[in-house]
Amino acid sequence: MKNAPAAVAADCGLADVPLHTDVWVCALQLDGAPQDHDVLLRLLEIGFLPGERLRVVARSFPGGDPLAVRVGRTTFALRRREAGLVRVSTTPPVLVRAQEQGQGQAEQPQPSAQLLLPPQELAA
C-alpha cells in the first residue's frame, strides 16, 4: 500500500521518507562535512541522480538504521546519515517531449535546472 504523498515534505531528506512512498531525487546536499564528499560521490555513482525515482522499502529494527532503498531495479542499504544527504520530493520531475527538442519521439527528462521544478512553479 502506497502512503499519501502529502505525508512527505516538498523537499526533505531521504531518511525522513515513509516506507513505500515514491519520491524523486532533487539534489544531493553538497554543503556537508568534508568527509561526506566520498559518500556523495558513491551515491552519484550508484544512481542517486537528480530526477531518479526512489522508494524506501525497509528499515532496520529498532533504530531504523540502515534503510533499504530501491533505485530502479536495484536495492541499496544506506545509513541514515548517508540517506540524509539525498534531498527528495514527492513531485515527479518535469518531462519534455524529445520531438520538441528535435531528438525523436520518446519523452526524456529535461537536462536543466527546470528538471527539478514542480509544474506549478514553471507556470509562474
Side-chain angles (χ1 to χ4, degrees):
M1 181 173 176
K2 189 186 273 190
N3 292 336
V8 180
D11 181 19
C12 67
L14 181 59
D16 302 323
V17 173
L19 289 177
H20 307 293
T21 302
D22 287 337
V23 293
W24 286 263
V25 176
C26 292
L28 295 178
Q29 188 173 341
L30 300 176
D31 59 350
Q35 64 267 24
D36 291 338
H37 293 294
D38 290 337
V39 173
L40 291 169
L41 180 60
R42 185 181 70 112
L43 290 171
L44 287 169
E45 289 173 345
I46 62 177
F48 289 83
L49 301 170
E52 193 66 38
R53 184 170 63 180
L54 308 175
R55 177 181 282 197
V56 177
V57 294
R59 284 192 168 84
S60 179
F61 183 76
D65 194 18
L67 305 114
V69 180
R70 174 138 320 170
V71 180
R73 297 173 65 190
T74 308
T75 303
F76 297 98
L78 296 179
R79 296 283 179 201
R80 287 187 61 82
R81 174 144 174 71
E82 296 168 337
L85 297 174
V86 181
R87 307 306 298 171
V88 296
S89 174
T90 57
T91 307
V94 176
L95 295 178
V96 174
R97 291 204 173 271
Q99 62 187 357
E100 293 174 2
Q101 297 176 349
Q103 298 176 356
Q105 299 293 329
E107 290 185 356
Q108 298 177 353
Q110 185 177 3
S112 71
Q114 291 181 343
L115 172 73
L116 305 176
L117 293 177
Q120 63 271 20
E121 291 183 24
L122 289 177

